Amino acid sequence: APQHTQDAQLQLATSKASITAVAAAEAADAVAATAPTASLLQVISFDSAKRNNLHLLDDDTLLVGVGCMALLLHLPTMKQRWLPGRDGGGVAAVAVHPSRQHFLVAERCKSRPPNM
């Protein structure tokens, strides 16, 4: 009889856990159905290990050092303007003048001082 009681208690606990899991899944589905959704528009090869690699030039234009190029991204239209490097060593740093009228792209170069 004690084994039968333990089996019944285990079965009851399992049933309660199943009901709780189903209720939680239904609640999650209800939240997902009403939650706002997001979709991926674009991926920029952003090197997050570089410090200060992302700058706003104005309210609509983003400057990013990407590989061997600098990217100017117009945010409202997502239009891209790529500025190729000259040395092929990759963009080491980007900087923006406090007036936001000028920016600098510094490249890596192994054979001579880098271009800026």
Side-chain angles (χ1 to χ4, degrees), residues 15-92:
S15 296
K16 285 181 180 178
S18 296
I19 291 168
T20 302
V22 168
E26 288 173 355
D29 288 344
V31 168
T34 60
T37 59
S39 60
L40 181 64
L41 297 176
Q42 183 160 9
V43 175
I44 299 172
S45 299
F46 177 69
D47 186 353
S48 61
K50 285 184 189 175
R51 291 177 45 189
N52 302 316
N53 193 36
L54 186 68
H55 296 277
L56 272 174
L57 294 180
D58 56 39
D59 292 339
D60 296 330
T61 309
L62 190 67
L63 169 67
V64 185
V66 181
C68 293
M69 298 188 176
L71 168 64
L72 296 172
L73 179 65
H74 186 252
L75 297 171
T77 63
M78 298 305 281
K79 182 180 176 189
Q80 300 174 7
R81 182 171 174 208
W82 292 91
L83 306 173
R86 295 178 42 186
D87 288 333
V91 173

